[in-house]
Amino acid sequence: MNYIFHILVMLEIYILLALSANQKVGLSGLLSLAQAVFYGSGAYAAAITITKFGFSYWLALPVAILISIIAALLFSFVAGKVRELYFSLATLALQIIFFSLAYNWIPVTNGTYGISGISNPEIFGLKINTPASFAVFGAVWVLLVILFYVWFLKTPISRLIQATRDDQIAVLSLGKNPNYYKRISIMLSAVIAGIAGTLYATYTTYIDPSSFTLDESILILSIVLIGGAGRIIGPITGAVIYILLPELLKFLQMPDSIAANMRMILFGLLLVLIVRFKPKGLFGKYLIQ
Amino acid sequence: MTESIQILLNSIVSGLLLSLVAIGFTYIFQVTKVFHLAHGGIYVSGAFACWWMLTKTNNWFFAVAFSILAVAVLIYLIEKSIYLPLTKKQSNQSISLIASMGLYVVIVNGLAMFFGNENKIIDNTVSGSFGLSNIIFSKVQMIQTIVGIVATTTFLLYLKVTKSNMALQAVSDNETISKVFGINTEKERTKVFIIGSILACIAAILKTMETGIDPQAGMSITLTAAVVAILVARLNVLLIIVFSVGLTFIQNAVEWFLNAQWKEGITFLILLLVILFKTEGIISYNLRKDRA
């Protein structure tokens, strides 16, 4: 039973990551290859404040969000300078620089040894330290983010963010600054990914740089593109496919030694086929053209 | 002093190998506008094909011929089934980048599934080295240098003799007008993909002779080649070689004086600065003057 709850927790973390990436890719049209930077910033901020300064989860959370926002400001600067492919390449560079920092800045991140002993969250003295309780805790976060998006997508600011994605010149002609809306979108994306990072760090109680690589960023982006960008249902579907795919392979009695590779092959193939034949993804609204 | 000369020597050899990958990557990127990250998958496919054939036949000629044929067939299938249809649909560069990422994931995991994730070493390779007052030049490095120079010169001769460079420049500048002037753009694209992949395959085999190969080895060298492509931003073989050697020298110096893990961070910091402040590449002014 614990295994099912573990799968559920990972699904919730990936849903949050996919929704955060959807904010940038689907709503702002910014194809970022560095979502793991925000994820990692949140996770490291939580891990460091909890283990080195003795913060509780609820004190570590705002710090993690703040650090993610600071990282987002750097990305906003990049988004203001370059567009399309060059934005993607700049984010790719930022992702690799972040990984180098996490790997080499040993006094802060402990390098390859990572940070262990990250304590679990507590609510009203109740420790969230089992997969079942974490699954409920994660579900609350997912629900909050989904409810936020149900509201946010109807707001004028969301429409202006999407207008910036579709036609920057039109937004400029309305007297609005497109970079301002990109900045808001990137910050929002960073906050949600940062929350996912705090969940991951406190759930696994250990983090190291290998969880925040370029591969992870590509994976998060793929989840959004397969599910479909621009809607809430798309990223959720992508995350469900990614998490449940290995379970399906287990059902087919595929040995563990090849199941991991087969999962990535199927996921990669699905990405190529989606791009080739259904560029909007399974349930997407926005076509990256 | 000895250390500096050794670093320079190693950088020239490794830079030559990088330049083979970078020439292929730059030509593909400049002509087809595809940011071909799957080049890393092609690189490791070539190395694995050579290693596999060597384990079966122990014959270098068969192994090299087989690996070149394998990458040529693989890239042909990729171009005809994925990249070309996307170009015909007028998809932008981001779409082809995503497709390329997907292809890379499929190729690398396919190789890992069939051959395993561990590093594969070629047994039938040369050993030994030449030494001159603490400066070492291995026999493998000598082979890498000679084959690297021969491959690059052959590529330059091919461009000169077949006048392909002009056709490639034309396709790169404007594919539609190139068609009007009778250039078979689809054929030129396919040729660019195949030749670029063969160069990557040669580099991969040469590198495998020295360090062996694992399925993940292609991404790092392809990303560095991509940095060279962005810095150079034009179809010029000699400039690509100079930039490749220069970048490798910086990486080796960082590895020697700091830490091996910083070298990618420094490389991509250079890329980031160029993208942000000189998007058209370091030599963009000359590019415009040449084309005027």
Side-chain angles (χ1 to χ4, degrees):
Chain A
M1 200 62 187
N2 266 353
Y3 180 69
I4 293 171
F5 285 121
H6 167 73
I7 298 290
L8 205 56
V9 174
M10 294 316 291
L11 176 63
E12 287 157 358
I13 290 171
Y14 275 97
I15 286 175
L16 289 176
L17 287 172
L19 286 169
S20 75
N22 182 52
Q23 174 64 47
K24 259 195 297 192
V25 181
L27 300 184
S28 279
L30 297 166
L31 200 74
S32 165
L33 293 172
Q35 201 62 14
V37 171
F38 302 139
Y39 179 38
S41 301
Y44 269 106
I48 291 165
T49 49
I50 289 171
T51 56
K52 291 193 176 166
F53 303 109
F55 281 24
S56 70
Y57 176 79
W58 299 106
L59 271 177
L61 182 67
V63 178
I65 288 174
L66 188 69
I67 297 291
S68 300
I69 288 175
I70 291 169
L73 286 173
L74 182 63
F75 278 73
S76 308
F77 170 72
V78 172
K81 294 279 282 183
V82 286
R83 292 169 66 185
E84 296 175 358
L85 180 70
Y86 285 91
F87 174 78
S88 301
L89 296 181
T91 58
L92 186 148
L94 284 168
Q95 168 66 58
I96 291 173
I97 293 166
F98 173 81
F99 181 76
S100 276
L101 276 174
Y103 206 94
N104 293 297
W105 198 9
I106 292 167
V108 175
T109 63
N110 210 21
T112 44
Y113 298 109
I115 300 173
S116 57
I118 307 162
S119 57
N120 300 120
E122 273 182 48
I123 300 178
F124 307 120
L126 192 73
K127 212 161 175 66
I128 302 165
N129 57 0
T130 61
S133 57
F134 231 102
V136 175
F137 186 56
V140 172
W141 274 116
V142 170
L143 194 66
L144 282 174
V145 172
I146 290 174
L147 286 175
F148 166 77
Y149 271 114
V150 170
W151 165 79
F152 181 72
L153 288 175
K154 290 176 189 158
T155 60
I157 200 160
S158 165
R159 281 193 281 272
L160 277 163
I161 286 172
Q162 291 175 66
T164 304
R165 171 196 71 192
D166 295 334
D167 195 338
Q168 281 206 47
I169 294 167
V171 173
L172 272 169
S173 70
L174 291 172
K176 309 283 184 187
N177 179 1
N179 286 343
Y180 172 73
Y181 296 103
K182 282 184 192 171
R183 200 177 305 137
I184 289 175
S185 190
I186 293 171
M187 280 184 187
L188 203 50
S189 170
V191 168
I192 298 166
I195 291 170
T198 64
L199 277 179
Y200 177 75
T202 51
Y203 174 64
T204 57
T205 69
Y206 168 80
I207 55 164
D208 71 355
S210 67
S211 302
F212 314 107
T213 57
L214 175 64
D215 289 352
E216 188 69 14
S217 286
I218 292 175
L219 181 67
I220 298 166
L221 179 65
S222 306
I223 287 173
V224 176
L225 296 173
I226 288 171
R231 281 201 178 119
I232 299 171
I233 187 72
I236 295 173
T237 310
V240 170
I241 292 172
Y242 174 69
I243 295 291
L244 295 188
L245 204 55
E247 305 314 310
L248 184 73
L249 295 175
K250 273 184 195 159
F251 183 70
L252 295 172
Q253 294 187 325
M254 190 167 282
D256 283 349
S257 56
I258 60 166
N261 291 127
M262 184 51 88
R263 172 202 209 179
M264 292 311 292
I265 290 171
L266 290 176
F267 209 69
L269 208 56
L270 197 55
L271 182 65
V272 174
L273 292 175
I274 288 276
V275 166
R276 173 79 176 79
F277 298 107
K278 206 171 183 332
K280 281 186 178 176
L282 294 174
F283 296 105
K285 183 179 168 190
Y286 170 56
L287 178 70
I288 303 163
Q289 278 284 27
Chain B
M1 186 62 185
T2 313
E3 284 169 2
S4 305
I5 294 171
Q6 185 70 60
I7 291 174
L8 184 64
L9 196 63
N10 292 348
S11 303
I12 290 169
V13 179
S14 302
L16 262 176
L17 296 190
L18 172 64
S19 71
L20 289 177
V21 183
I23 289 167
F25 189 93
T26 310
Y27 268 70
I28 291 169
F29 179 51
Q30 290 292 331
V31 175
T32 67
K33 310 295 176 214
V34 174
F35 200 81
H36 180 46
L37 277 185
H39 206 50
I42 299 291
Y43 175 91
V44 282
S45 300
F48 267 90
C50 181
W51 167 82
W52 183 77
M53 193 46 105
L54 273 176
T55 59
K56 298 288 168 201
T57 63
N58 205 24
N59 183 316
W60 271 99
F61 178 77
F62 280 139
V64 172
F66 174 72
S67 57
I68 286 174
L69 186 68
V71 296
V73 170
L74 182 60
I75 194 64
Y76 179 83
L77 293 175
I78 290 173
E79 156 68 353
K80 293 297 176 192
S81 61
I82 310 292
Y83 290 149
L84 189 61
L86 286 177
T87 304
K88 282 183 176 171
K89 277 167 68 180
Q90 295 188 321
S91 304
N92 72 9
Q93 287 175 300
S94 300
I95 289 285
S96 57
L97 171 68
I98 296 163
S100 182
M101 286 182 328
L103 287 167
Y104 174 79
V105 170
V106 172
I107 294 170
V108 166
N109 283 282
L111 288 170
M113 196 169 78
F114 284 110
F115 299 111
N117 272 310
E118 67 278 9
N119 196 41
K120 301 283 182 292
I121 305 287
I122 294 177
D123 297 324
N124 179 15
T125 187
V126 283
S127 55
S129 59
F130 309 101
L132 182 69
S133 64
N134 292 336
I135 296 166
I136 297 164
F137 190 66
S138 69
K139 286 183 180 170
V140 171
Q141 282 183 314
M142 192 181 72
I143 293 172
Q144 288 173 334
T145 310
I146 293 168
V147 177
I149 290 170
V150 170
T152 312
T153 313
T154 310
F155 178 68
L156 276 170
L157 281 174
Y158 159 79
L159 291 181
K160 206 166 175 65
V161 171
T162 61
K163 296 195 172 70
S164 259
N165 209 20
M166 295 299 286
L168 297 182
Q169 294 269 9
V171 178
S172 166
D173 280 348
N174 194 321
E175 200 168 330
T176 313
I177 292 178
S178 303
K179 276 182 188 167
V180 173
F181 279 91
I183 296 171
N184 187 340
T185 55
E186 283 185 21
K187 198 172 142 193
E188 290 301 327
R189 276 176 62 103
T190 310
K191 276 200 289 190
V192 166
F193 271 113
I194 290 177
I195 291 166
S197 300
I198 289 172
L199 288 175
C201 176
I202 293 168
I205 293 169
L206 292 171
K207 192 74 185 166
T208 306
M209 287 174 74
E210 187 184 5
T211 58
I213 191 82
D214 69 78
Q216 311 293 335
M219 187 50 117
S220 175
I221 195 164
T222 301
L223 288 177
T224 314
V227 173
V228 174
I230 300 290
L231 297 183
V232 175
R234 62 189 294 191
L235 305 169
N236 186 313
V237 172
L238 290 177
L239 273 175
I240 294 169
I241 294 171
V242 170
F243 273 73
S244 296
V245 172
L247 200 57
T248 311
F249 180 73
I250 292 170
Q251 287 189 333
N252 286 346
V254 168
E255 189 172 350
W256 187 268
F257 295 110
L258 280 173
N259 180 331
Q261 295 302 327
W262 278 115
K263 68 179 187 184
E264 286 201 338
I266 301 287
T267 305
F268 281 86
L269 185 63
I270 294 170
L271 175 70
L272 184 65
L273 293 174
V274 169
I275 286 178
L276 290 181
F277 301 107
K278 206 135 177 30
T279 312
E280 288 196 24
I282 286 175
I283 46 137
S284 55
Y285 175 71
N286 289 338
L287 174 80
R288 285 180 188 148
K289 215 166 88 176
D290 286 355
R291 299 268 180 98

